[in-house]
Every structure is written in structure tokens, then in C-alpha cells.
Amino acid sequence: MRPPMPSPGRPEPSRAVQRDFWRLIASGITSVQAAEGVGVSAPVGIRWFRHAGGMAPLSLDEPSGRYLSFAEREEIALLKAQDKSVREIARTIGRAPGTISRELRRNAATRSGRPVYRAVVAQWKAQQAAKRPKTAKLVDNDLLREYVQDRLAGDIRRPDGTIVSGPATPPWKGLNKPRRQDRRWSTAWSPEQIARRLRVDFPDDESMRISHEAIYQSLFIEGRGALKRELVTCLRTGRALREPRTRSRNKRQGHVTTDVVLSERPAEADDRAVPGHWEGDLIIGTGRSAIGTLVERSSRSTLLVHLPRLDGWGEEPYVKNGPALGGYGAVAMNAALTESMTKLPEQLRKTLTWDRGKELSGHAQFAMESGTRVFFADPHSPWQRPTNENTNGLLRQYFPKGTDLSRWSAEDLEAVAYALNNRPRKVLGWKTPAEVFEEQLRSLQQPGVATTG
């Protein structure tokens, strides 16, 4: 005999109502609108969304006909109130008499001292009895939990192993993505990268397996237990809730001539089969500070270009059409890019695709000095530089918008690039960009290997 089930007071809305709520959320409307759509209050809808981390905590598929629905329970309650017999109720709703008998016996309300069948209470009791609490895998497996936490929140290190502390960050308050503040620097592998890399690092240990969704649930859903929720700050987006991403837009500039538009770029750059084709852009901080980003299309290797402010910044008054002292004027940009690109073998610096920013208005001089042909994407078309746009999104974890980027030294930028290049990528078969780039360098060093100039 089952022990009596304690009542929590007013039962929550049925799973059918919650299922409809999450279907509305999936359609793209807000929590308040979804709550209104299913007939619950706005605070309830907001609580459901935040406690579940923006992830539907139940399947959105309709349950099988094996189980009584809330509508059937309402009909049973009405017929029972009319003193209908068990068999009459069964015939009316098309169920077996035994099903109705068990339902009346198990799920009746008993707070009044005698069993009284009410549909809402019966639905709540059925949902409570159907729960099958399962311990999260990260709770039971200490080694797996340490592996996941280390890849999410480990220290940034230079190639020689020394730790780069990064900025001092404010305490996490449980809010969504902090805007215009410093964020903690971490190794910051994504949950999918961690899940896939486990198969590479532990090929014979089946206990070292977890899905990326399970990692997200441990981070986003309250009470899931194994991982602390503040580790969401180690995710690239920094979001504490699952939400749609927003797209960034490029500023239109008009200094590009017809011979350097994207349609003139060699066809071999499009399929990523041949290394040496790069995409580039700036990430901008406060006070006209910036960092140049270069990403190789084939290996996804990243170079960060240090753009220090020039002498006189903050001391001399602004001069219209005067030299750009912020660090990314055309002259300073050319010098910094040339220094970065000329460190590479000639075969690995064929082309560079940039957006239409005026910082590269001196592209002809840069092409002559570095031997790298420059091409410009179409206005308002960031998808034409997809690898660089994605990388800039990754880099915003270390260099958030609204922060001063000039304070980081070239060595600091090298450490961040090293961390990024040693994160496994799905598109590379879970190899790291550094591994693929090393393979490219070895292939160039082999005698008899043909290269294209």
C-alpha cells in the first residue's frame, strides 16, 4: 500500500498546460505572451522559463492514449458527481472499468477526510506518481565532472604554461549575459566540444560519455545539481538562459574599388580545400581601442593583431583629418597586419577578405608589402566572412563590448589566441585548429609538394 501523498496546497497547472506553454515559447513569443496564451499568470510563466533555463523540461509530444488525459479526468469527475457507477463511467469515456476503478481509488482528494474525486487534484497526483527522478550523470561520476568543469572554467595559459589571470570580474548575480562588463577568462570549451572530445581522449571508457544537452541542462536548470550555475559565465555567450542569438551588422563604407570586391576573389578560396586564405576584421572597445582578428578559412587558425594606441593619444587635441592615434588608422593597421602576416610562409598568406571598414583603406600598400591580395565583402553581408564572424563571437568572451581593449599586451593576445586554437572544432572532426595548421605546415615542408601562388 502506498503511503499518503502530501499535498503542496494548490496544485500546479497540468502538464498539458505546461506543454502548450513551451510550444508557444518555441514559436518565438515571450514568456508573458505564452503565459497569457495558456491561461496562467505572467509571473508563473516567467518562473517556468527561468527555472528551466529556457529549456523545455518535458517532452512536447502528446502522451500516448494509454494514460488518462486531463479532459478525461474532468469527465470522470462530472460523471462521478452525478452518482454514475464505475461501469457507466467506463462505457461513457471508452475505458476499461478497471482503469476507472483504479483512478478513483488512487487519485482522489482526501483532505476533507473522505475521498472526493477532483480532476485537478487527480491530474497532479498522477503527475507526481509518474515522476522517475534520476541522478544526473555528472553527480555520480567525479572524473567526468572534473573533466567537464576543467574544460569549461580552466585557466588561460600561455604556450609556456604560465597562467594569465585576465580581468578582475564582478560577482555573478544570477542574471543573464552581463553587458559592457569584464568577463572571466577561461578555457571555455563549448558543451558540444567537451562531449565530442571525450570520445577522442577516452576511446575505451564508456563511462566517460555525456551529451552536450546534459551539460547545458546541468548549467541552465535549477536543481539539476552537478555544475554550479555561475559556470554559465564560462560559455561563449555568457547567457544564463537559452535564447535565440542576435546578428551583428557591418557598417557600410564606400572606398572599395571594383577589382577588390568579393566576386573577384579566386575560386579556390571558396571551398576551403586550399590553405592560405584568410578572413579579417576588428573587434572594437571603448576609447577607440581595437584588436585585429585574422582567421584562416581552412584550418580556422586565429591570429590576434595587437593595435596599441599611438604616442599623443589623450594628450594632443583632436585634429580633423589628422593622424588616427587610437591605433587602427590606415597606416597603423597596415603596419600591424604586415608584421603579423609576414611571419607566415608565403604559401599560407594568399588572400585576405575584410569587411568595408576604412581601417584597411590602404589595402594596396599592404598587398604590396605582404604579398597578400585583399578583397572586401559586400555591404551588410557578414555571412560572406562566416569564419571570422564566428571567431569574433568567440573572442567576445574574453574581450566584451564596452571594455577598453588597449590594456591587453601582445603577449596577452597571444595567450587568448593559443587557447582558441587549441579548442576542438566540430567542423574539423574535433581536431583543434592548431593541429590542422601544423599538418598544413608539414605538407608545405615536404619536398615535391606542389603549391599554388
Side-chain angles (χ1 to χ4, degrees):
M1 181 177 178
R2 294 192 308 175
M5 184 177 296
S7 172
R10 182 180 180 181
E12 283 195 354
S14 67
R15 291 175 70 87
V17 173
Q18 296 181 46
R19 196 176 293 114
D20 290 340
F21 171 83
W22 286 104
R23 288 199 187 102
L24 291 174
I25 290 293
S27 71
I29 65 177
T30 65
S31 303
V32 173
Q33 292 170 328
E36 293 174 352
V38 298
V40 300
S41 67
V44 169
I46 293 172
R47 185 175 71 245
W48 284 353
F49 186 85
R50 298 195 70 86
H51 284 194
M55 306 173 67
L58 72 171
S59 172
L60 300 185
D61 297 330
E62 288 293 337
S64 68
R66 173 185 175 186
Y67 304 101
L68 288 172
S69 66
F70 182 63
E72 288 177 314
R73 289 191 167 97
E74 286 183 320
E75 194 166 359
I76 292 172
L78 289 173
L79 294 172
K80 181 63 176 175
Q82 298 172 12
D83 291 330
K84 300 293 185 181
S85 69
V86 169
R87 292 186 179 277
E88 285 181 293
I89 297 174
R91 282 194 299 269
T92 302
I93 70 172
R95 290 284 188 170
T99 300
I100 305 303
S101 177
R102 285 192 298 272
E103 175 68 15
L104 294 172
R105 184 175 68 252
R106 290 177 175 177
N107 295 331
T110 58
R111 293 190 70 184
S112 62
R114 59 186 180 87
V116 178
Y117 189 83
R118 296 188 179 92
V120 173
V121 176
Q123 182 72 19
W124 172 77
K125 282 193 168 187
Q127 290 174 185
Q128 294 297 107
K131 287 182 178 179
R132 298 293 183 269
K134 183 179 179 181
T135 304
K137 195 170 187 179
L138 290 175
V139 174
D140 284 343
N141 193 328
D142 294 339
L143 180 60
L144 180 60
R145 183 174 65 254
E146 290 174 4
Y147 183 96
V148 171
Q149 289 183 156
D150 185 59
R151 269 74 186 166
L152 274 175
D155 295 320
I156 287 287
R157 296 176 182 271
R158 296 187 175 90
D160 61 5
T162 56
I163 295 176
V164 181
S165 58
T169 57
W172 189 68
K173 298 179 181 179
L175 302 178
N176 206 19
K177 183 178 180 178
R179 297 186 180 275
R180 308 210 180 278
Q181 296 180 20
D182 284 323
R183 290 181 56 196
R184 175 185 175 186
W185 286 13
S186 64
T187 49
W189 288 18
S190 74
E192 187 175 14
Q193 289 168 333
I194 294 172
R196 295 290 185 170
R197 189 69 186 193
L198 279 166
R199 298 180 180 273
V200 177
D201 292 343
F202 302 93
D204 302 321
D205 189 352
E206 290 297 322
S207 67
M208 296 295 287
R209 300 286 185 271
I210 192 170
S211 69
H212 62 279
E213 277 296 302
I215 299 175
Y216 277 120
Q217 288 176 6
S218 293
L219 290 172
F220 287 163
I221 299 178
E222 291 185 11
R224 193 50 66 100
L227 300 177
K228 296 180 180 179
R229 286 204 72 208
E230 50 263 37
L231 288 180
V232 298
T233 58
C234 297
L235 297 176
R236 177 177 63 84
T237 62
R239 297 189 183 104
L241 302 172
R242 175 167 286 179
E243 294 179 359
R245 296 179 180 176
T246 57
R247 288 189 176 183
S248 60
R249 300 185 66 186
N250 291 337
K251 294 182 179 179
R252 181 171 184 151
Q253 301 291 346
H255 62 276
V256 179
T257 55
T258 56
D259 60 324
V260 292
V261 295
L262 189 69
S263 58
E264 298 297 318
R265 190 176 67 177
E268 70 175 28
D270 295 334
D271 59 10
R272 303 176 186 268
V274 179
H277 299 280
W278 297 76
E279 296 175 6
D281 196 8
L282 295 178
I283 55 175
I284 306 296
T286 58
R288 296 194 59 79
S289 59
I291 296 173
T293 65
L294 300 171
V295 189
E296 205 276 316
R297 285 175 55 83
S298 177
S299 67
R300 278 70 175 180
S301 295
T302 300
L303 295 178
L304 296 184
V305 182
H306 187 226
L307 299 171
R309 291 185 175 131
L310 304 184
D311 294 338
W313 167 259
E315 301 173 359
E316 300 179 5
Y318 171 75
V319 178
K320 186 176 181 180
N321 297 326
L325 303 180
Y328 59 98
V331 175
M333 194 76 213
N334 275 2
L337 278 180
T338 301
E339 182 182 358
S340 295
M341 293 296 287
T342 52
K343 293 178 181 178
L344 301 170
E346 184 178 354
Q347 299 92 332
L348 291 182
R349 45 183 167 95
K350 298 183 177 73
T351 68
L352 172 62
T353 303
W354 204 266
D355 72 352
R356 300 223 166 183
K358 289 186 177 179
E359 65 274 0
L360 212 59
S361 57
H363 56 85
Q365 181 70 22
F366 166 73
M368 184 174 63
E369 294 176 351
S370 66
T372 303
R373 298 179 62 190
V374 179
F375 299 91
F376 292 90
D378 297 332
H380 307 292
S381 303
W383 57 87
Q384 293 178 347
R385 299 177 298 103
T387 309
N388 184 245
E389 285 291 321
N390 178 67
T391 302
N392 287 349
L394 299 176
L395 288 168
R396 281 300 185 186
Q397 175 159 356
Y398 305 105
F399 311 110
K401 293 181 180 180
T403 58
D404 183 0
L405 304 184
S406 66
R407 55 186 159 155
W408 306 119
S409 66
E411 290 76 16
D412 293 331
L413 302 189
E414 183 182 357
V416 173
Y418 180 80
L420 211 61
N421 289 331
N422 284 276
R423 291 169 62 179
R425 299 288 183 90
K426 179 179 181 179
V427 73
L428 301 177
W430 304 109
K431 292 182 179 180
T432 67
E435 292 169 346
V436 176
F437 196 73
E438 183 66 26
E439 292 173 2
Q440 293 175 350
L441 289 175
R442 285 200 299 268
S443 69
L444 292 176
Q445 294 168 357
Q446 292 176 1
V449 174
T451 60
T452 57

